[in-house]
Structures are given as structure tokens and as C-alpha cells.
Amino acid sequence: MNGIIKAAMTGTLVIWLSGCAQSSGVLQLGPDTYTVSVHAAPARGGEAGARKQALTEAAQQCQAMGRNILVDNLSSGPSTHLPGGTANVAFKCLATGDRDLHRPTYEPKPDTVIRFR
């Protein structure tokens, strides 16, 4: 009987961990500037699912404020400690007409930075 209970609890834990996504929630970094981080298990889309959820939460934050979203930085990749993927979004919520509200140009960050001193 004890073995059956352990097996049931282990199975429940595996199912719970495989289907979840965790979010930091939107955190304010400064005036009009926010960040959100999300981890998504493989069953929730992994890296792509984390990216989608993070961008959705960011957009909802700005929409709730009656403002427009401007993504400053978007990074995602496989999780280092759990199965699945992670995404981090740094963004601003800006009013229509704000001089900083412009079409973003995204470039991947370099793998190596060389500095001459």
C-alpha cells in the first residue's frame, strides 16, 4: 500500500512539473520601464511558450495602463535548471506621441565582446 501511495505521488508530481509555467510577474525597473521573466515546461511550449507568455504579460501591463508597449530587450533559451525554456523581456509602456515610442530594430547580442584599452 505504501508503494502505491509513493508511486501515485511521484506520478502526480511529474505531471504537475511537466505542464507548468512560472512567471516572475511584471516588475518595475524605473519610470515607464518594466521586466518579466517566464519559465515554461515542454508541455507549455518550452522556450517558445515562455517567450509568448512573457510578451503577452508585458503587453497586458501596458494595455491596462492605456499605453503602448516598446520592447527594449527580448532574450530566451533553454532552461538551465528545469526542462523547458525561459524568456526575459525588458520593456517600456509609453503614451501615444511619446518621443521614445518608435519602431524597434532588433539585433542579436554578440557572443563575444572585445574591448581595447
Side-chain angles (χ1 to χ4, degrees):
M1 182 75 172
N2 197 14
I4 294 172
I5 293 173
K6 284 183 183 178
M9 289 177 65
T10 301
T12 302
L13 181 62
V14 168
I15 291 169
W16 181 73
L17 287 175
S18 66
C20 64
Q22 296 94 19
S23 171
S24 65
V26 174
L27 305 171
Q28 188 166 9
L29 296 176
D32 302 322
T33 307
Y34 304 87
T35 186
V36 62
S37 299
V38 175
H39 170 269
R44 294 292 299 264
E47 184 179 338
R51 190 171 41 250
K52 180 179 178 181
Q53 182 173 338
L55 288 168
T56 299
E57 288 184 33
Q60 288 173 344
Q61 172 72 22
C62 294
Q63 186 178 30
M65 299 169 68
R67 295 182 173 214
N68 301 290
I69 184 172
L70 177 64
V71 176
D72 285 330
N73 190 10
L74 171 62
S75 62
S76 62
S79 179
T80 58
H81 61 287
L82 291 171
T86 61
N88 302 297
V89 178
F91 63 99
K92 293 180 177 143
C93 294
L94 301 173
T96 301
D98 189 302
R99 64 181 173 80
D100 291 333
L101 186 60
H102 55 81
R103 179 175 287 124
T105 303
Y106 296 109
E107 294 182 20
K109 288 188 175 185
D111 293 335
T112 305
V113 176
I114 300 172
R115 293 186 181 156
F116 295 101
R117 295 178 188 220

